[in-house]
Amino acid sequence: MHQFHCPDLLPPVIELPEDEAHHATAVLRLSVGARIGLLDGAGTRAIGLVELITKRGCSIHIEERTMVPPERKARIHLAVAPTKQMDRYEWFVEKAVEIGVDRITPVITERSERINLRTDRLHRVAISAMKQSQRAWLPRIDEPTRLKDLLCTDLPLQRYFGWCEGEHRQLMAAYQPHNDALVLVGPEGDFTPAEASRLREGGAVAISLGAARLRTETAALAACTWMSLAQQR
């Protein structure tokens, strides 16, 4: 059954968003009476029937709804520096959503090679990954945020940051799977010593993900995968 995203599944008849309606009618060529799956990204799954197709949109009659509880006991927040090549960051977002993540923040650091990115595109990538993996929850994707500003916001008390220099702990030994957690991953040049000091002062623990030096997007996914699996034990 084809899956579609619609942020409001409460009315008995809903209109698919423009891009989803185009995909349903022009790409998949669904006809009236076709049964489809629907996700609102906030825990609701639904099954509906295509009721009306017009040049402007596609109306769906909701047959049934199911509420899905949060997928994890504790929330996972990844703050990851944008990569120089945008397609690598989009790949990271796609895979993180498939694995399971609650919030993604593009964090801008002193050594960031990219400070601007289209979060609307990242949101579309996340929606596509949610549908493909048949998850019911869509992660929050923030606008690019400078590290110093991020540290002034309300964050989980359990905080880690990838660090290639100095003393650090293994994430597998430090992570507490029953508590919300934030993992920060810096750019290709890593966090500066001053940023590392600021992170430690804010309660973050320097971590390692093994002996190999990983790319930014790989390190973020490795951390995400480990935390997701640890919560399932």
Side-chain angles (χ1 to χ4, degrees), residues 164-182:
C164 296
E165 308 293 337
E167 296 183 0
H168 48 248
R169 297 183 63 188
Q170 292 291 328
L171 176 62
M172 291 75 85
Y175 178 58
Q176 301 171 28
H178 297 294
N179 297 321
D180 295 350
L182 164 68

Side-chain angles (χ1 to χ4, degrees), residues 97-158:
V97 174
E98 291 177 9
I99 293 167
V101 66
D102 298 284
R103 180 180 174 187
I104 296 173
T105 303
V107 62
I108 307 303
T109 71
E110 293 182 26
R111 293 174 176 167
S112 288
E113 297 180 291
R114 174 187 290 273
I115 61 174
N116 297 313
L117 69 168
R118 291 181 54 187
T119 51
D120 61 328
R121 182 173 175 83
L122 294 181
H123 187 67
R124 289 197 296 271
V125 170
I127 288 174
S128 178
M130 177 188 68
K131 294 189 296 183
Q132 190 279 329
S133 57
Q134 297 189 13
R135 293 188 175 278
W137 293 86
L138 187 67
R140 166 181 165 181
I141 297 181
D142 298 326
E143 292 295 324
T145 306
R146 294 197 174 275
L147 178 61
K148 64 178 182 179
D149 296 328
L150 178 64
L151 295 179
C152 293
T153 62
D154 185 19
L155 298 171
L157 295 179
Q158 185 177 195

Side-chain angles (χ1 to χ4, degrees), residues 180-201:
D180 295 350
L182 164 68
V183 173
L184 300 105
V185 180
E188 183 176 336
D190 210 346
F191 294 108
T192 65
E195 288 173 329
S197 296
R198 190 178 304 125
L199 285 164
R200 285 194 173 97
E201 290 170 1

Side-chain angles (χ1 to χ4, degrees), residues 75-81 92 103-105 107 150 156 158-162 171 175 180-186 191 199 204-205 207 209 219-224 226-227:
R75 295 174 62 81
I76 297 174
H77 179 183
L78 300 177
V80 183
F92 147 67
R103 180 180 174 187
I104 296 173
T105 303
V107 62
L150 178 64
Q158 185 177 195
R159 306 173 188 179
Y160 304 102
F161 68 100
L171 176 62
Y175 178 58
D180 295 350
L182 164 68
V183 173
L184 300 105
V185 180
F191 294 108
L199 285 164
V205 176
I207 58 165
L209 295 167
L221 286 178
C224 183
W226 169 256
M227 291 190 292

